[in-house]
Amino acid sequence: MSRGSKGGGFGHCFWREVSRLGSRPLYRVVCFGVPLFCALFMATIFGDGQMTDLPIGVVDHDFTASSRKVVRHLDSSPTLAVAEHYTSTEEALSDLRRGRIYGFVVIPRNFADDAAAGIGPKIGYYYQYALLSAGAQVATSLEVILKTLATEPVVVVASAMALPPGEIEALLMPITADSEPLFNPSLDYSVYLSLPFFFVMLQIVVLLLTVYSVGEEIKFGTAVEWLSSAGGNIGKAVVGKLLPQALALSAMALLGVAILSIGGAVPIGERWPLTVLYVVLLVVASQALALAIFAIYPAMGLTISVVSMVGSLGATLCGVTFPLGAMAPFVEQLALALPIRHFMLLLQGEPYAISVPSAEWPHIVALMAFGLLPLPLLPRLRRAIISRKYEEKIG
């Protein structure tokens, strides 16, 4: 095929891809079904957004009314549920290691007698901290409940001395902390996990679909026809192929945001036009990144493996589940090589008002710059199409 072939144009290539998207079940499922499923999944996976009734155990060596009162307090907590009673610490620890409980409390012998005598018995508690979220919730709940129980003898004595309630409270808590969780006062897990994970999965879908849609043209020998439909212009061919996918995926991504927002999973700011812009930039930047990787070595099987790894890294490098500043120094710079990192910094600034326009522009420009990545590699991709080197050999 000569460089000046006139077998078609951008419009011809565009409608060719629209026809492929509409006629092939795989494309319909990936472009429409998968994003919709991800949105519905993320909107419902965390339930009401709170951890409740986490199973714990009790090792009661005292068997008195006082120890049973401790157990009742533990079981009345909305976060905890006393699921098992054990006769030994070893038995409880075994179940903790097997994942049957998230923690357990050990009430010592002579607990009631020592408390009455003012000796100060010690209640021990153990919790599973390999599971960070569940472990933190169990530890916090146990600490609050046991501290409350520890102050009861002081309250009884102070009340007997006819001290007013205000003085008793000042005696027990000389300094009062006023906690104000900003932007997520209900401590709802879905608020800070649903939207990031939805877009991490969306980026993986975009990367894989881009590589597959271009790779199958080369692998199955239809790439020359694809290039001809764009008049031999590789730039028009690429844009004509990827634009319908970008429109479909952007629309489904915005539908996903609407589902998560209406369901109360995430707060969305009032600047919806900017949210639309950020979503479109993420989709286009992810397509460009996938195309650049594919153009370096246009073999579909290998490139799909590479972009799958790149997309999976986004779950960590977007900086939501663990702060990048706490990782190795080079990781923060590495994260900037992924569109999802820039996107999440922009998206978090929307509903939470934690960024200003001057801080957003560098990330907007960065996402736009991803669109330029494939440009120097397009001649290489064109040569791969014309040479038919990467076509699947039949027979």
Side-chain angles (χ1 to χ4, degrees):
M1 175 185 296
S2 66
R3 185 175 295 273
S5 298
K6 301 294 182 182
F10 170 77
H12 188 188
C13 182
F14 176 87
W15 289 111
R16 174 181 181 270
E17 188 61 25
V18 170
S19 176
R20 290 166 71 90
L21 289 179
S23 62
R24 299 196 176 187
L26 176 62
Y27 284 124
R28 293 199 299 269
V29 169
V30 173
C31 283
F32 302 103
V34 172
L36 182 60
F37 169 79
C38 290
L40 294 173
F41 181 74
M42 295 311 304
T44 57
I45 184 175
F46 294 110
D48 60 2
Q50 301 287 342
M51 292 187 189
T52 58
D53 296 329
L54 295 173
I56 64 169
V58 173
V59 182
D60 188 353
H61 292 304
D62 193 47
F63 295 107
T64 62
S66 296
S67 66
R68 287 193 292 273
K69 182 179 180 181
V70 172
V71 176
R72 286 195 300 272
H73 273 278
L74 293 172
D75 204 27
S76 65
S77 167
T79 305
L80 307 176
V82 177
E84 298 289 345
H85 292 263
Y86 301 99
T87 58
S88 67
T89 301
E90 290 74 20
E91 185 181 353
L93 189 59
S94 176
D95 270 7
L96 181 68
R97 288 170 173 163
R98 293 175 183 176
R100 295 178 180 174
I101 56 175
Y102 290 103
F104 62 92
V105 173
V106 180
I107 302 174
R109 290 180 176 84
N110 303 317
F111 168 74
D113 294 340
D114 289 348
I119 296 177
K122 294 183 179 180
I123 297 179
Y125 62 92
Y126 303 77
Y127 53 94
Q128 168 63 283
Y129 215 45
L131 304 173
L132 185 60
S133 297
Q137 288 288 332
V138 170
T140 300
S141 297
L142 289 175
E143 185 174 352
V144 170
I145 293 170
L146 295 178
K147 278 186 176 180
T148 302
L149 290 170
T151 61
E152 284 190 358
V154 180
V155 173
V156 172
V157 173
S159 299
M161 297 171 63
L163 291 177
E167 291 187 21
I168 297 175
E169 184 177 352
L171 177 66
L172 296 176
M173 298 182 64
I175 299 176
T176 302
D178 186 12
S179 176
E180 296 288 346
L182 298 178
F183 312 119
N184 185 12
S186 63
L187 303 180
D188 191 330
Y189 269 79
S190 60
V191 168
Y192 63 88
L193 288 182
S194 293
L195 206 60
F197 280 9
F198 170 71
F199 280 107
V200 166
M201 289 189 283
L202 178 74
Q203 181 183 243
I204 294 174
V205 169
V206 175
L207 292 170
L208 292 175
L209 180 63
T210 301
V211 170
Y212 179 81
S213 62
V214 177
E216 72 157 354
E217 298 273 17
I218 294 177
K219 184 175 181 179
F220 300 120
T222 59
V224 173
E225 175 195 338
W226 164 44
L227 189 58
S228 297
S229 70
N233 186 307
I234 186 62
K236 292 180 180 179
V238 166
V239 176
K241 171 169 281 294
L242 298 184
L243 182 57
Q245 298 176 21
L247 293 174
L249 290 167
S250 297
M252 295 307 299
L254 291 171
L255 176 61
V257 173
I259 290 173
L260 292 171
S261 178
I262 293 171
V266 293
I268 296 298
E270 297 178 356
R271 298 188 295 171
W272 262 98
L274 282 179
T275 301
V276 173
L277 172 65
Y278 299 157
V279 169
V280 172
L281 287 177
L282 173 68
V283 172
V284 174
S286 300
Q287 286 181 318
L289 178 62
L291 185 65
I293 294 172
F294 180 80
I296 294 174
Y297 187 73
M300 184 168 67
L302 176 62
T303 312
I304 281 180
S305 299
V306 173
V307 297
S308 297
M309 180 186 68
V310 170
S312 299
L313 284 174
T316 300
L317 298 185
C318 68
V320 173
T321 55
F322 193 84
L324 291 180
M327 298 184 189
F330 74 92
V331 176
E332 192 165 3
Q333 302 303 316
L334 176 63
L336 296 177
L338 296 179
I340 192 67
R341 173 58 176 167
H342 300 280
F343 174 78
M344 286 312 307
L345 290 173
L346 290 170
L347 195 67
Q348 287 178 334
E350 278 296 294
Y352 307 132
I354 57 178
S355 64
V356 294
S358 60
E360 294 174 353
W361 273 111
H363 301 293
I364 294 175
V365 172
L367 287 175
M368 291 179 175
F370 275 100
L372 305 177
L373 279 178
L375 292 183
L377 297 167
L378 290 182
R380 178 180 177 84
L381 180 61
R382 189 178 191 278
R383 288 193 297 271
I385 293 173
I386 296 173
S387 69
R388 299 176 177 265
K389 177 182 178 181
Y390 297 95
E391 287 185 9
E392 186 176 79
K393 306 302 180 183
I394 302 176

